[in-house]
Amino acid sequence: MIRFENVGLRYGVGAEILKDISFEIQPRSFQFLTGPSGAGKTTLMRLMLLALKPTRGMISLFGHDAATVDKDAMTELRRRIGVVFQDFRLLDHLTTFENVALPLRVKGREESAYRAEVTELLKWVGLGDKIHAVPQVLSGGEKQRLAIARMLLKNPAIMVLDEATSHLDNENEALVQAALDVALSGRTAIVIAHRLSTIRNADRIVVLHEGHIVEQGTHDELMALDGFYARQEAAGSLGTSSGEQP
């Protein structure tokens, strides 16, 4: 579904930010992209979302070479990817129900056609009692679960979660993780994070460091290598959540 072949990226005449990036994401797989802050995770995500163009190499999305598709085709490819950003991107003047339903309202659908579906989604992520609340009164974990519900309503072919639990305490992280465990089941998902508490069940882990992929494999395979990933696993994290490379 997504394939990177020897992708490199530089801004202007500066040094390359990403270098020789090659990996593939298969349908219905759970992929984990991790590495210290500044490793290039956010930049790599922006390339996946076609928000940036690589300086060299090829990115293929759903069998299409991203460098050759026209504007309309690129818009359609982007629609097939759902993203939960770490800043949530909620509208403070709308209720939880309205935030989730906003894409459908924009498309002109009547509320009666989606009221039950949105209400059920909010119950499913544990926000059934907050249906009329506005984001300002929600905790960080509740906002994250609200953002997950909004993405699920879109039913994308690929789900991307950017640092989904990076700013949460242990209790809220557990609640968000429980919602994610169900949400991602049987779907193609890419989780981008530096914290390792959600990583062990991934089908494949891609480890970035200083703009390179330094290791790839399952948790057990990477632990057996006794390399960069294993050392960071022993420390409990691959970095802090601040200062990520743009």
Side-chain angles (χ1 to χ4, degrees), residues 77-90:
L77 291 176
R78 286 172 174 160
R79 284 178 180 157
R80 298 175 68 183
I81 303 175
V83 186
V84 175
F85 295 97
Q86 56 183 303
D87 61 359
F88 312 128
R89 302 197 177 181
L90 304 174

Side-chain angles (χ1 to χ4, degrees), residues 18 27 33 44 54 60 79 108 115-116 123 125-126 128 131 156 158 188 204 210 214 219 244:
L18 294 176
L33 174 63
L44 187 52
S60 173
R79 284 178 180 157
R115 184 186 298 115
K123 290 179 180 177
V125 297
I131 195 167
I158 297 174
T188 304
R204 191 161 191 82
E210 296 182 346
V214 292
H219 171 78
E244 173 67 283

Side-chain angles (χ1 to χ4, degrees), residues 103-165:
L104 301 181
R105 290 177 58 190
V106 169
K107 291 179 179 179
R109 290 183 60 185
E110 295 293 329
E111 183 177 325
S112 58
Y114 57 76
R115 184 186 298 115
E117 182 179 6
V118 173
T119 301
E120 186 61 29
L121 265 178
L122 287 169
K123 290 179 180 177
W124 187 67
V125 297
L127 295 175
D129 60 338
K130 302 287 179 67
I131 195 167
H132 300 300
V134 291
Q136 295 97 313
V137 304
L138 301 179
S139 69
E142 288 170 336
K143 290 178 181 177
Q144 189 63 273
R145 283 180 276 153
L146 177 56
I148 291 169
R150 184 177 56 189
M151 177 181 65
L152 290 173
L153 188 68
K154 182 180 177 182
N155 194 28
I158 297 174
M159 294 184 173
V160 179
L161 297 106
D162 180 22
E163 297 284 4
T165 62

Side-chain angles (χ1 to χ4, degrees), residues 168-220:
L168 305 181
D169 58 31
N170 289 338
E171 181 179 358
N172 271 310
E173 181 179 2
L175 290 169
V176 169
Q177 188 57 46
L180 288 177
D181 286 343
V182 180
L184 302 183
S185 178
R187 298 174 184 265
T188 304
I190 305 159
V191 174
I192 299 168
H194 69 277
R195 285 168 66 167
L196 301 183
S197 56
T198 59
I199 202 168
R200 297 189 180 196
N201 293 329
D203 296 311
R204 191 161 191 82
I205 300 164
V206 177
V207 185
L208 277 175
H209 183 49
E210 296 182 346
H212 293 276
I213 292 178
V214 292
E215 293 171 345
Q216 295 189 59
T218 64
H219 171 78
D220 290 342

Side-chain angles (χ1 to χ4, degrees), residues 28-68:
R28 297 186 179 277
S29 64
F30 173 25
Q31 308 276 333
F32 207 102
L33 174 63
T34 192
S37 294
K41 300 186 300 295
T42 297
T43 303
L44 187 52
M45 179 186 73
R46 294 179 68 194
L47 285 167
M48 284 185 208
L49 300 178
L50 307 182
L52 290 175
K53 293 183 178 181
T55 308
R56 61 184 175 87
M58 187 192 79
I59 299 173
S60 173
L61 225 60
F62 304 105
H64 299 276
D65 182 347
T68 63

Side-chain angles (χ1 to χ4, degrees), residues 51 97 99-101 168 219 238 240:
F97 179 94
N99 265 286
V100 172
L168 305 181
H219 171 78
L238 280 162
T240 59

